[in-house]
Amino acid sequence: MRLLRSTDLALRVLMRLAVATEGSHPTTRDVAEAMGVPYTHAAKVVAELRHMDLLTARRGRGGGLTLTERGRKASVGALVRAFEGEGDVVDCEGAAGMGTPCPLRSACRLRGALRRAQEAFFASLDPLTVSDIAAGPTGPLLLEISRSPRP
């Protein structure tokens, strides 16, 4: 299964904030630069994470992003579900540009099998929290990347 870029970015933003040192509040721009993504993409993801109450964002001097306690304990599976949506893996109805519905849809076993595989994927991520995936050796590397000067 391939994750949407927004899902990947949301997880990386949360991981970065999970390893932020006390008193350190990176801005959306700082996180975007450290992750090598456009600021506009990072801003959209940060806005959604803020709406989900997983992080707080303060403007101005001394502002920046802070992971909430809810964000630290958030299930990775639930986050992936929220960003990926509950849609099917395949488009049997033809809505995604194919134009016509699949002629096999009334007797197809593939759609159900793919839906079960998708749920198994999500379920395997459910026990993991943001804190879990930001723990060592990932955490120190995230901090090092964030400190590296950008060309």
Side-chain angles (χ1 to χ4, degrees), residues 19 54 60 62 80-81 103 107 121 131:
V19 298
L54 301 176
V80 172
R81 277 187 192 89
F121 172 75
S131 290

Side-chain angles (χ1 to χ4, degrees), residues 2-20:
R2 186 177 185 101
L3 296 179
L4 297 172
R5 286 186 180 139
S6 58
T7 306
D8 174 47
L9 183 54
L11 292 169
R12 290 191 290 148
V13 166
L14 292 172
M15 290 167 61
R16 170 58 184 92
L17 295 177
V19 298

Side-chain angles (χ1 to χ4, degrees), residues 7-95:
T7 306
D8 174 47
L9 183 54
L11 292 169
R12 290 191 290 148
V13 166
L14 292 172
M15 290 167 61
R16 170 58 184 92
L17 295 177
V19 298
T21 57
E22 188 69 31
S24 166
H25 304 287
T27 65
T28 302
R29 192 165 305 281
D30 294 338
V31 172
E33 288 176 10
M35 299 298 168
V37 298
Y39 170 77
T40 54
H41 293 155
K44 287 178 186 177
V45 167
V46 165
E48 182 62 27
L49 293 170
R50 191 170 153 229
H51 178 73
M52 296 168 71
D53 195 33
L54 301 176
L55 61 81
T56 59
R58 289 191 333 235
R59 290 183 171 202
R61 191 173 187 189
L65 305 174
T66 307
L67 191 63
T68 64
E69 192 58 33
R70 180 177 179 175
R72 284 188 193 291
K73 295 179 181 178
S75 162
V76 173
L79 287 166
V80 172
R81 277 187 192 89
F83 274 86
E84 294 291 315
E86 295 292 329
D88 287 324
V89 175
V90 292
D91 177 23
C92 299
E93 303 305 320

